[in-house]
Amino acid sequence: MIRARALQATFAALVTTLLPAAAAVAAPAPAPIDYVALGDSYSSGVGTGNYRPDSGNCLRSDAAYPALWAKSHTAGSFAFTACGGATTQDVRDKQLGPLNDRTGLVTITAGGNDAGFGAILSSCVFPASDASCDAAVNAGIDYASRTLPGRLDGLYREIRAKAPKAKVVVLGYPRLFERDVCPLSFSLHKRDSLNHGADELNRVTAGRAQSAGFAFANPTSRFAGHGICARDPWINQLDIAHPVESYHPDVDGHARAYLPTLNSATGQQSLDPVASGGS
């Protein structure tokens, strides 16, 4: 009798232990999400080095954060229309076709090209003076403050009209530079000025995204310590052989900074521990 009771108690303990695991296994899978990725080169994956053959000059990459998110989450469909060099008007004219009332998630980076991202960097390259770099950055900030808000508002309204049920995540831009000793890069003054420009662009973009009822996801903290001039940079330095990839996130920048930023904004975790890892 004592032995039988002991066996019953052991069986009951095993059942109690296994029930949570069984419940976890039986938990329903997340519903598939129809995902559309819009935006410029920071969304298309310029800088990662490998591009889809059918993407032409848009340089879309399977190593870009939108493709990584779609691969590691439950994506019912994935439309990847982001294109390197795109302005807000380019997004409106060429990228919104896949949006509809079934779209569940939209991501976008936009505004950097409107504000003259490439021209500003060119104005800061040696032998340009700190003063001329400051002038270019300040002109970009002035544009971002005065003109860009209206362009973003128009784009965001059109996205909402075409995808009324979607969660829309607007992602910002990283600071490109660290303040470490870096003799082959921009002067410290220029790096600080360019980083300030990125902060101002993010400030304006965040305000317009929030006004539209969209989420704003800032990748700055994820890139911290991994900008140009860091020991382990996740952003490409000036590359004379492949200039278009210069000053863009590399594979690590997308997998280890942008993807976790998007995961946090969508309330999900990557299924790939390497992709979602930290520094």
Side-chain angles (χ1 to χ4, degrees):
M1 177 67 72
I2 294 175
R3 184 178 180 182
R5 288 177 178 173
L7 287 173
Q8 288 175 347
T10 301
F11 178 76
L14 283 172
V15 170
T16 302
T17 301
L18 292 173
L19 274 176
V25 171
I33 297 173
D34 290 342
Y35 172 28
V36 180
L38 313 170
D40 55 26
S41 56
Y42 276 67
S43 290
S44 72
V46 173
T48 60
N50 291 297
Y51 308 105
R52 295 182 173 188
D54 62 350
S55 67
N57 292 332
C58 286
L59 300 180
R60 286 185 282 269
S61 173
D62 288 329
Y65 77 84
L68 295 176
W69 194 96
K71 181 179 179 181
S72 61
H73 296 81
T74 306
S77 65
F78 175 46
F80 192 10
T81 60
C83 186
T87 63
T88 53
Q89 191 61 49
D90 292 328
V91 176
R92 296 181 73 173
D93 292 343
K94 304 172 185 177
Q95 297 185 23
L96 305 186
L99 298 177
N100 57 55
D101 61 3
R102 297 184 303 278
T103 303
L105 174 66
V106 177
T107 61
I108 182 171
T109 55
N113 290 316
D114 297 68
F117 169 77
I120 292 170
L121 282 164
S122 296
S123 298
C124 294
V125 173
F126 181 83
S129 66
D130 288 350
S132 63
C133 181
D134 286 346
V137 171
N138 289 335
I141 291 174
D142 185 69
Y143 180 94
S145 299
R146 295 173 180 271
T147 306
L148 185 60
R151 293 180 178 272
L152 291 174
D153 288 349
L155 171 59
Y156 295 163
R157 281 195 300 269
E158 193 163 353
I159 290 172
R160 176 52 72 213
K162 291 179 178 293
K165 301 175 184 176
K167 177 180 181 65
V168 182
V169 180
V170 178
L171 291 99
Y173 298 94
R175 292 177 177 173
L176 295 180
F177 301 95
E178 302 299 329
R179 305 189 82 248
D180 305 46
V181 175
C182 195
L184 298 181
S185 185
F186 295 102
S187 69
L188 179 58
H189 180 93
K190 290 178 181 177
R191 284 182 271 155
D192 285 345
S193 184
L194 287 161
N195 285 344
H196 173 62
D199 289 344
E200 286 299 297
L201 179 58
N202 282 340
R203 180 187 63 79
V204 170
T205 306
R208 303 328 304 155
Q210 291 160 6
S211 179
F214 296 167
F216 180 76
N218 191 340
T220 299
S221 63
R222 297 280 185 177
F223 276 96
H226 296 284
I228 296 168
C229 298
R231 288 187 178 182
D232 180 21
W234 296 348
I235 298 174
N236 295 310
Q237 173 63 281
L238 176 64
D239 185 343
I240 300 299
H242 305 93
V244 71
E245 299 201 346
S246 303
Y247 311 116
H248 284 83
D250 62 13
V251 170
D252 281 334
H254 280 270
R256 306 180 73 178
Y258 262 122
L259 179 60
T261 300
L262 179 55
N263 284 335
S264 295
T266 57
Q268 301 190 52
Q269 294 299 315
S270 173
L271 300 180
D272 180 353
V274 175
S276 62
S279 60

